[in-house]
Amino acid sequence: APALAEKYGLGRPATADEIAAWDLDVSPDGTGLPVGSGDVFTGEEVFADNCAICHGDFAEGVDNWPKLAGGMDTLNHDDPLKTVGSYWPYLSTTWDYVNRSMPFGNAQSLTPDEVYAIVAYILYSNDLVDDDFELSNENFLDVEMPNAGGFIIDDRETSEKHFWKAEPCMSNCKESVEITMRAAVLDVTPEEEGSEEV
Amino acid sequence: MTESFKGMKPSRRQFLTGAAAAGAGAVAAGAAKAAGDPLITEVQEWAQATGEGVDATPYGLPIQYESDVVRRNVEWLTADTISSINFTPIHALDGTITPQGCAFERHHSGAIELKKEDYRLMINGLVDTPLVFTYEDLERFPRENHVYFCECAANTGMEWAGAQLNGAQFTHGMIHNMEYSGVSLRTLLEEAGLDAAGDLKDKWVYVEGADASSNGRSIPMEKALDDVLVAFKANGEALRKEHGYPVRLVVPGWEGNMWVKWLRRIEVTNQAIESREETSKYTDTLEDGTSRKWTWVMDAKSVVTSPSPQAPIKHGKGPLVITGLAWSGRGAITGVDVSIDGGKNWQEARLAAPGTDKALTRFYLDIEWNGEEMFLQSRARDSSGYVQPTKAELRETRGLNSIYHNNCIQTWWVKANGEAENVEVS
């Protein structure tokens, strides 16, 4: 790349209003949070009106829709239940994602105070706050997320160093080959069109 | 997409019914031999009358006889079809370029319709001048062309716990490979100016789409300035609606989730945003309950596409073309080994063309099939020296619950009747 980047004079400066309209992301340190607040009781109502049809009255999930609460201490189980309470490292993500992308099919329809209230209710559903809790931009960082320390940065180049092999085995690599699992036994593959009559 | 890959509905019908049909065809061909094949000895309609005029099809679709070469979805994988996945019919394709019309889709809030006139791209954050580009602006920047694979992080994810789906399309089809034309992200960032960002080493770029899901992801500045493309053409023509029309991000070698479609905003930041798509999703839980984050690179991987469960051997013994695809996010494919005995012995396959950086590579192994059952496997090697591992090796370091990044060696059990099945072997 050239030392001095060439400019082409294309595009135009973004206005402050335009940036405010689109730049909604919230960082783990709270950068991007608007002023506002909402409590658990309000959140329960807003959640019931906007979210419970898919996520359940208690954020426990309906059918195959995501469960937002529960699953505490299951991450090392055979079937971990990953929710905001059991898995998500930062509360900022919950606020940011609800604000920008929920409700599913009617995104960006919630006010900041409604989002604070919903997030407070999700925390309550996960037994992380009491029922009189009010969440605001002021106390946002005080909330402790149980799995905040549960993530490591990609370490494949060290923990999987043995996958970089100088000479992979080419012949007589193992003594026997036995089938240990068959997809046809499970039989969950969709049908091919055209084979239905046979 | 939910993670409940295990609760599936059983189905009663046989997936594969190739054997009977193949037998009938062989009889007909045999009978014809005495007097000569009527397809040759009798004048056929297409050799006598005329076909369609050049005005019949301004933009064509494949011939009707190829109607099985289509995207397929798996209903039980997700709660609905809007935030869901479908699969490229890799079992039926050859070469390396994926036809756009059957290249897989993965949306989080559906495939949106965004016309060029309504398109805006914003660059903001730690830049000298926050900018807004129209689509026409983007077409005026110096352009590049590159072929890269886009593989969903969840490709083969349903197979962590065992052999589940019976076909290469379903086990390995969350992938496509296209020739992209576009502007380097570096060019656009420099147009906005990066002096305000100071030391670029610890800076990030946050990218998001125009759709309701936004699909925001954080990319370290080093990658952003390296080979990331802001693309508006694929395989020679505009992006398909479902692939991000009119503009998407191309992030060579990295998990498909980061290839943000309908790209609307690029923000230079001091920190990773740790969005939903890099905390709740696209993090990989290990056996002890801790999870890897920022597992961006897709490791070396391969699969035999034929024979495979959807592409059985119908021609009997004799010459057999074993073919498949190999790719690596760490560089170019340098070789592919194929085993017909479940990994006891390997032979080096022939690459149709030398592997190129972070793109699909086609391999062939031409054998004489003696009609006995085979346990077909392929093993990719890349320019970093990485060798594609077995599922057992992966499970040893990761356990069963990491969902994403399953690049294990696949086994097809080819039976004496030519049918193939997805299996795991010891």
Side-chain angles (χ1 to χ4, degrees):
Chain A
L4 277 174
E6 194 184 344
K7 299 237 185 197
Y8 300 93
L10 294 167
R12 57 145 178 101
T15 71
D17 284 353
E18 288 171 339
I19 294 171
W22 275 10
D23 184 353
L24 303 173
D25 54 74
V26 180
S27 303
D29 67 2
T31 303
L33 272 178
V35 173
S37 64
D39 60 28
V40 171
F41 284 114
T42 310
E44 185 177 23
E45 280 176 32
V46 183
F47 196 89
D49 290 345
N50 295 281
C51 321
I53 189 166
C54 295
H55 296 297
D57 289 337
F58 308 100
E60 80 282 14
V62 173
D63 297 333
N64 214 6
W65 294 102
K67 298 166 173 57
L68 309 180
M72 227 51 95
D73 301 316
T74 63
L75 297 179
N76 59 355
H77 293 192
D78 285 346
D79 259 320
L81 174 54
K82 299 180 180 182
T83 69
V84 172
S86 70
Y87 191 63
W88 293 33
Y90 304 110
L91 194 60
S92 57
T93 312
T94 311
W95 203 98
D96 173 273
Y97 184 69
V98 170
N99 182 52
R100 268 194 292 177
S101 299
M102 288 289 136
F104 191 61
N106 190 26
Q108 304 201 63
S109 60
L110 300 165
T111 66
D113 284 348
E114 286 175 326
V115 177
Y116 278 108
I118 287 172
V119 174
Y121 182 68
I122 294 172
L123 288 171
Y124 171 72
S125 300
N126 277 288
D127 297 323
L128 295 174
V129 297
D130 294 328
D131 60 7
D132 60 354
F133 179 73
E134 183 180 55
L135 182 70
S136 72
N137 57 301
E138 301 283 333
N139 67 359
F140 199 86
L141 295 180
D142 299 340
V143 180
E144 285 181 33
M145 299 295 278
N147 198 40
F151 292 80
I152 56 169
I153 294 173
D154 183 6
D155 65 343
R156 280 175 288 176
E157 288 182 25
T158 50
S159 66
E160 297 180 0
K161 207 172 183 175
H162 50 293
F163 295 157
W164 280 263
K165 293 171 186 165
E167 300 276 334
C169 178
M170 291 299 286
S171 53
N172 302 312
C173 302
K174 52 189 179 186
E175 297 215 333
S176 67
V177 171
E178 309 293 338
I179 294 174
T180 56
M181 196 170 286
R182 296 180 54 184
V185 172
L186 214 53
D187 196 16
V188 293
T189 310
E191 313 288 339
E192 297 264 8
E193 291 91 41
S195 68
E196 311 228 338
E197 300 306 312
V198 183
Chain B
M1 188 165 5
T2 72
E3 280 115 81
S4 42
F5 286 140
K6 286 164 197 163
M8 65 300 295
K9 299 168 195 155
S11 108
R12 293 282 144 239
R13 281 191 214 111
Q14 272 289 88
F15 177 65
L16 211 173
T17 53
V27 169
K33 267 179 194 163
D37 186 345
L39 283 169
I40 299 170
T41 58
E42 294 169 13
V43 176
Q44 300 298 312
E45 199 212 336
W46 57 81
Q48 201 156 35
T50 58
E52 279 181 346
V54 293
D55 58 346
T57 315
Y59 197 107
L61 287 170
I63 194 166
Q64 56 182 314
Y65 311 116
E66 295 296 313
S67 61
D68 60 318
V69 187
V70 290
R71 296 188 276 234
R72 290 187 171 83
N73 79 315
V74 176
E75 210 180 310
W76 54 262
L77 274 179
T78 51
D80 74 338
T81 57
I82 304 298
S83 179
S84 193
I85 188 85
N86 63 26
F87 300 85
T88 304
I90 55 169
H91 64 288
L93 302 177
D94 210 325
T96 58
I97 295 295
T98 312
Q100 291 196 80
C102 65
F104 87 103
E105 302 167 72
R106 201 300 186 228
H107 318 301
H108 292 76
S109 51
I112 60 166
E113 198 167 289
L114 177 55
K115 59 184 176 190
K116 287 175 181 172
E117 292 80 0
D118 293 344
Y119 180 78
R120 298 290 183 272
L121 175 63
M122 181 184 291
I123 300 187
N124 75 310
L126 303 172
V127 293
D128 302 343
T129 312
L131 292 176
V132 171
F133 299 112
T134 62
Y135 179 82
E136 290 72 22
D137 292 333
L138 295 183
E139 281 202 330
R140 297 171 65 189
F141 284 100
R143 221 169 288 168
E144 297 181 18
N145 283 259
H146 300 279
V147 176
Y148 295 120
F149 72 81
C150 173
E151 182 185 19
C152 179
N155 200 20
T156 322
M158 300 81 75
E159 303 290 309
W160 271 111
Q164 285 216 53
L165 286 162
N166 212 18
Q169 177 170 21
F170 302 107
T171 57
H172 290 75
M174 296 182 195
I175 193 165
H176 56 59
N177 191 67
M178 301 188 191
E179 183 193 35
Y180 293 98
S181 309
V183 181
S184 78
L185 176 55
R186 182 187 190 105
T187 300
L188 297 183
L189 288 170
E190 288 176 344
E191 186 72 13
L194 289 170
D195 291 343
D199 186 355
L200 296 178
K201 273 204 190 86
D202 58 353
K203 295 304 181 294
W204 294 76
V205 165
Y206 185 70
V207 287
E208 67 177 13
D211 62 318
S213 84
S214 102
N215 198 52
R217 288 290 311 249
S218 306
I219 299 175
M221 183 61 83
E222 187 185 3
K223 178 71 174 178
L225 295 178
D226 180 16
D227 56 3
V228 178
L229 277 181
V230 174
F232 37 80
K233 295 278 171 75
N235 294 348
E237 61 182 354
L239 297 170
R240 294 291 170 97
K241 173 182 77 176
E242 62 270 31
H243 296 141
Y245 181 93
V247 176
R248 84 173 305 164
L249 207 63
V250 168
V251 191
W254 287 22
E255 58 189 11
N257 177 256
M258 307 177 83
W259 294 47
V260 172
K261 296 184 288 191
W262 314 290
L263 179 71
R264 86 167 189 187
R265 196 170 66 88
I266 299 162
E267 179 185 0
V268 176
T269 61
N270 272 317
Q271 55 188 325
I273 300 300
E274 302 269 11
S275 69
R276 186 253 197 182
E277 306 294 328
E278 54 203 14
T279 54
S280 170
K281 307 297 173 190
Y282 308 99
T283 50
D284 316 348
T285 301
L286 304 170
E287 200 156 29
D288 67 359
T290 62
S291 303
R292 289 177 180 156
K293 66 175 182 180
W294 303 344
T295 46
W296 300 309
V297 178
M298 301 306 291
D299 284 313
K301 185 167 174 178
S302 68
V303 64
V304 171
T305 52
S306 179
S308 66
Q310 297 159 285
I313 304 171
K314 292 180 175 175
H315 55 57
K317 298 177 197 178
L320 170 68
V321 173
I322 297 171
T323 187
L325 293 165
W327 61 95
S328 174
R330 297 189 186 275
I333 290 297
T334 51
V336 179
D337 305 316
V338 170
S339 173
I340 62 171
D341 58 10
K344 286 186 197 169
N345 298 287
W346 298 86
Q347 43 194 322
E348 189 160 3
R350 170 171 58 90
L351 303 186
T356 60
D357 198 34
K358 300 158 190 156
L360 291 191
T361 299
R362 171 65 56 178
F363 67 85
Y364 296 103
L365 184 70
D366 307 296
I367 68 164
E368 281 284 316
W369 184 45
N370 61 12
E372 291 174 10
E373 69 171 18
M374 297 184 285
F375 292 100
L376 274 183
Q377 298 184 336
S378 61
R379 182 177 69 190
R381 294 176 268 118
D382 74 18
S383 51
S384 77
Y386 185 98
V387 179
Q388 184 183 1
T390 64
K391 200 186 282 186
E393 286 175 313
L394 279 178
R395 285 172 177 163
E396 222 168 276
T397 58
R398 304 186 193 170
L400 291 171
N401 287 320
S402 51
I403 302 174
Y404 307 107
H405 291 278
N406 185 349
N407 65 318
C408 71
I409 289 173
Q410 172 67 44
T411 307
W412 303 129
W413 175 27
V414 180
K415 300 160 200 180
N417 66 3
E419 292 181 13
E421 183 180 331
N422 176 12
V423 296
E424 282 186 15
V425 295
S426 56

